[in-house]
Amino acid sequence: MKKWIVLLLLIGVVGVVVFLHADRPQKKIEKNDRYSESVEQFRADTVQRSKENEIELLLNGVSLKNFGYHIRMSDDLKLLCQERLFADVLGCSIIRYATGDVSIERGNTKILLKEDSTKAQIDGQTVEIETPYQYDKSEQQLYLPVERLMSSMGYSVEISYVDNTVNLKEVVSSNPLPARYDMREKNRVTPVRDQGKYGTCWAFASLGALETTLMPYEENVYSTDHMALNNSYRLALSAGGEHTMSIAYLAAWQGPVYEEDDPYGDGETVEGLSAVKHLEEAIVINERDDEIIKSAIYRYGGVETSLYLGIEYSGYDSQYYNIGTSAYYYNGTEKPNHDVVVVGWDDNYSKTNFAIQPERDGAYICKNSWGEEFGDGGYFYVSYDDKNLCGQSIVYTRLEDADNFRHIYQSDLLGWVGELGFGKEEAYFANCYTPEGDEELAAVSFYATGPRTVFSVYYVPEVSGTADLENRVFLVSGETRYAGYYTVQIPEPPTLKAGQKFAVEIQVSTPGSKRPIAVEYAADERSRQADISDGEGYISLYGKAWNSAEESGCNVCLKAFTNDREATDEDAETETASTESEEEE
């Protein structure tokens, strides 16, 4: 009986509900007049927040904040990231073409982007991407769409608007490097040169590597004559040299200049030429690690390095060289005596190609400076087992236009000659400069003397004595992966007053180092030209008590780059007020 009563009650409830809603008209949810306006406002606010609060980048949950990678948001809320991230972190090879095309390769994945297009070729298939790539001229960096490209390389993209983070999570593990890579096939090398009778292989190797940095977007051949004869070392062409001289010459804005403006081979140079490019970064790899070397070639360009070349220039004859296969392998104890550019590799290059057979297959492809008659059109193959090749490797990773900064302040024209410190990994160092006009501190540059160097950049607005060096203002911090020369841009450039001495300070921590400060001094016959009368530098352990670098016989390697400060409305008002005051008087 109870069951029937419950059933009747349910039927009654259903009936009431049907009755109440039977005659009600059906309505649609419609957008009001302000919907589109609200959406646009939301997008604008979100983009503005991303500009005001830097989006933090994570890799598998680990922050990459110290390395300074930037993510930006397009007006339609699509994420784009600097090409540096794709190269440095994912190990991609990124090639720009004058046509506007951009090629991205990682292992077996090949991507082609078109300018202003939301379509891309990924492994031969045409696909939609979220937004076209952008080019930031001020940074001279491509900004590439994140989500679709990352997914094609085995990464997921996790966005947290609450935490303001983007986490790149590897979901498919793969080797980013192919078994064979040859920069010649990618049009990433300039023509082979011939050093002739002079000891200038170091300059040819430096500039040969430097020239690949912008290839094939720009194909420039730079003057070896100018580098060899217009650096501050002032050595004869027959004296030889090394990469420290090359980096010092480039970092000081002494060059490079074009080959056509100072041709090679006449034993003379053209003075008074201005640098046509500015070097901002060069990494130094101080150990032989084949994966790192290959990755550097793949991502950035040719690698400058040294080997012992037991071959006569005139006859190309040596027990270590197979002239028929252009293959070289040295297994002795001699130290390096020649510089070349490594432009590729072949893991399967047979060990039977060598005059003396090494233990394993594989060779690096090297560009020499003995003309096209040598080897394979000027190139030769050096065994992975060679005793000297890539014991130290230099890669020129950032080369910018000559208008990136207006002024340079420096006192270390010989560059990194030696190191100084206090027996600990940490140290402070500073240089004082006096601006010629009203300027803005746009960037600083220094050497990291070892890998994984953590740094902080400060400046002191006004310096009259060493006590003022404690009045430092924090500007930016970061971390380097390798030793080398680095330029750090200041996110919010402080203003500098004409004639008022200021200081730039760096705090560094270099794991395993007891002397983390790079300095210039007269260490030997080659560096005897060091001039320590042109600087005012200081070093400190804790940033409190400061010691004069010059009194220790050296200059601190720390440069400042500035731009002219544009007059503001506030300046105009101040000037007007000053003029009125003078008239009243």
Side-chain angles (χ1 to χ4, degrees):
M1 186 67 178
K2 290 182 179 179
K3 291 181 180 179
W4 287 106
I5 293 173
V6 172
L7 181 60
L8 288 171
L9 286 173
L10 288 173
I11 292 172
V13 171
V14 172
V16 171
V17 172
V18 171
F19 173 77
L20 290 174
H21 291 275
D23 296 330
R24 287 193 174 185
Q26 299 296 315
K27 292 185 177 180
K28 295 181 179 179
I29 298 176
E30 297 181 355
K31 302 173 184 177
N32 63 29
D33 295 338
R34 297 191 59 192
Y35 175 80
S36 297
E37 180 183 337
S38 299
V39 170
E40 289 304 315
Q41 187 61 49
F42 171 78
R43 286 181 173 176
D45 291 345
T46 303
V47 171
Q48 185 60 33
R49 281 196 301 273
S50 74
K51 293 178 180 178
E52 294 173 353
N53 303 295
E54 183 80 19
I55 299 172
E56 185 176 2
L57 186 64
L58 311 176
L59 178 65
N60 296 320
V62 178
S63 175
L64 298 177
K65 186 176 182 179
N66 271 1
F67 296 102
Y69 300 117
H70 300 305
I71 288 184
R72 65 173 49 165
M73 191 174 284
S74 66
D75 292 339
D76 55 352
L77 306 187
K78 304 302 182 184
L79 294 175
L80 300 102
C81 191
Q82 289 172 308
E83 61 181 291
R84 286 181 55 232
L85 169 81
F86 285 81
D88 294 351
V89 178
L90 273 64
C92 296
S93 172
I94 301 174
I95 303 176
R96 270 182 81 202
Y97 296 92
T99 59
D101 290 356
V102 175
S103 168
I104 305 172
E105 295 187 15
R106 184 178 188 272
N108 295 322
T109 301
K110 292 179 171 53
I111 302 170
L112 183 65
L113 303 179
K114 296 285 187 180
E115 191 173 19
D116 299 324
S117 176
T118 58
K119 294 186 183 297
Q121 290 284 328
I122 300 182
D123 295 333
Q125 301 294 319
T126 301
V127 300
E128 287 285 339
I129 55 176
E130 54 268 30
T131 189
Y133 75 81
Q134 298 176 4
Y135 179 69
D136 189 311
K137 189 177 186 305
S138 63
E139 297 181 27
Q140 297 198 345
Q141 278 279 307
L142 294 171
Y143 274 80
L144 305 173
V146 172
E147 296 181 66
R148 185 63 182 89
L149 300 190
M150 290 292 179
S151 65
S152 70
M153 299 177 197
Y155 285 81
S156 66
V157 180
E158 300 173 350
I159 304 171
S160 172
Y161 292 101
V162 175
D163 299 327
N164 199 33
T165 61
V166 173
N167 183 30
L168 307 179
K169 188 175 181 180
E170 188 176 23
V171 293
V172 179
S173 180
S174 62
N175 186 353
L177 299 173
R180 181 181 179 278
Y181 187 77
D182 188 341
M183 293 179 67
R184 292 176 294 180
E185 299 171 357
K186 304 291 183 180
N187 192 25
R188 293 183 67 189
V189 294
T190 49
V192 171
R193 309 287 301 284
D194 191 343
Q195 70 186 73
K197 62 182 180 180
Y198 300 113
T200 49
C201 63
W202 63 277
F204 277 103
S206 296
L207 292 178
L210 184 75
E211 289 161 357
T212 68
T213 304
L214 300 177
M215 289 282 288
Y217 184 76
E218 289 186 30
E219 183 175 347
N220 299 319
V221 177
Y222 299 120
S223 171
T224 309
D225 231 38
H226 196 272
M227 172 177 273
L229 294 174
N230 277 279
N231 65 72
S232 294
Y233 285 80
R234 300 293 180 180
L235 301 178
L237 286 175
S238 58
E242 58 184 2
H243 73 274
T244 54
M245 296 167 56
S246 306
I247 295 177
Y249 160 86
L250 296 166
W253 291 5
Q254 293 171 333
V257 304
Y258 295 125
E259 166 68 17
E260 61 189 22
D261 294 330
D262 191 352
Y264 182 75
D266 56 6
E268 300 178 355
T269 187
V270 179
E271 297 185 358
L273 297 176
S274 297
V276 296
K277 293 287 182 182
H278 287 164
L279 178 70
E280 286 201 358
E281 184 177 289
I283 63 175
V284 180
I285 305 168
N286 283 315
E287 60 183 359
R288 170 69 179 272
D289 186 317
D290 287 332
E291 291 305 301
I292 292 177
I293 302 302
K294 292 176 185 177
S295 184
I297 297 166
Y298 192 63
R299 292 181 293 171
Y300 305 119
V303 168
E304 175 188 358
T305 191
S306 304
L307 77 169
Y308 175 75
L309 199 56
I311 306 175
E312 290 295 330
Y313 172 82
S314 57
Y316 311 138
D317 186 29
S318 169
Q319 61 177 314
Y320 307 109
Y321 180 59
N322 185 339
I323 195 169
T325 57
S326 305
Y328 182 82
Y329 165 52
Y330 178 70
N331 61 350
T333 59
E334 294 288 345
K335 294 182 178 180
N337 65 353
H338 187 65
D339 285 3
V340 295
V341 186
V342 186
V343 300
W345 69 87
D346 186 349
D347 291 343
N348 299 315
Y349 191 82
S350 177
K351 59 187 177 183
T352 62
N353 287 321
F354 298 95
I356 300 174
Q357 188 166 300
E359 293 184 2
R360 55 176 172 158
D361 292 338
Y364 282 111
I365 305 169
C366 298
K367 179 184 181 183
N368 203 3
S369 53
W370 289 358
E372 294 183 1
E373 294 76 19
F374 171 77
D376 179 13
Y379 295 80
F380 63 120
Y381 303 84
V382 181
S383 169
Y384 285 164
D385 287 339
D386 188 89
K387 293 298 182 181
N388 290 306
L389 190 76
C390 295
Q392 185 179 61
S393 304
I394 296 85
V395 192
Y396 299 92
T397 48
R398 284 175 60 192
L399 187 65
E400 307 290 358
D401 289 339
D403 62 355
N404 60 343
F405 306 118
R406 184 70 179 85
H407 308 282
I408 182 172
Y409 294 93
Q410 59 182 334
S411 59
D412 59 326
L413 295 179
L414 298 191
W416 180 7
V417 175
E419 298 90 36
L420 205 60
F422 300 90
K424 294 182 178 293
E425 296 178 351
E426 301 82 14
Y428 285 78
F429 54 99
N431 261 350
C432 297
Y433 298 110
T434 302
E436 299 171 356
D438 291 338
E439 300 168 12
E440 292 182 340
L441 180 60
V444 300
S445 72
F446 61 96
Y447 293 90
T449 59
R452 303 183 305 282
T453 293
V454 177
F455 64 86
S456 293
V457 180
Y458 304 87
Y459 96 110
V460 180
E462 187 172 0
V463 179
S464 58
T466 55
D468 294 325
L469 295 176
E470 289 189 52
N471 302 326
R472 52 184 166 270
V473 179
F474 174 78
L475 296 175
V476 66
S477 62
E479 183 176 348
T480 72
R481 284 189 171 83
Y482 306 101
Y485 173 76
Y486 292 90
T487 301
V488 181
Q489 296 199 19
I490 309 304
E492 297 180 7
T495 57
L496 307 171
K497 294 181 181 179
Q500 182 171 292
K501 185 164 65 174
F502 72 99
V504 286
E505 291 184 22
I506 307 291
Q507 178 189 14
V508 291
S509 178
T510 303
S513 174
K514 293 184 178 181
R515 296 184 297 274
I517 305 171
V519 295
E520 171 205 51
Y521 74 110
D524 52 25
E525 183 64 21
R526 177 172 288 177
S527 57
R528 69 183 186 280
Q529 300 287 350
D531 177 11
I532 62 169
S533 67
D534 61 348
E536 184 182 347
Y538 299 93
I539 62 173
S540 174
L541 178 56
Y542 301 114
K544 295 184 179 295
W546 292 86
N547 302 306
S548 167
E550 285 71 29
E551 289 180 6
S552 298
C554 62
N555 280 324
V556 172
C557 293
L558 173 57
K559 304 178 193 292
F561 303 95
T562 68
N563 291 318
D564 294 328
R565 188 165 72 90
E566 296 180 2
T568 64
D569 293 339
E570 184 178 343
D571 294 330
E573 290 175 4
T574 302
E575 185 177 346
T576 301
S578 176
T579 302
E580 291 175 352
S581 176
E582 290 172 0
E583 290 176 353
E584 289 174 0
E585 292 176 358

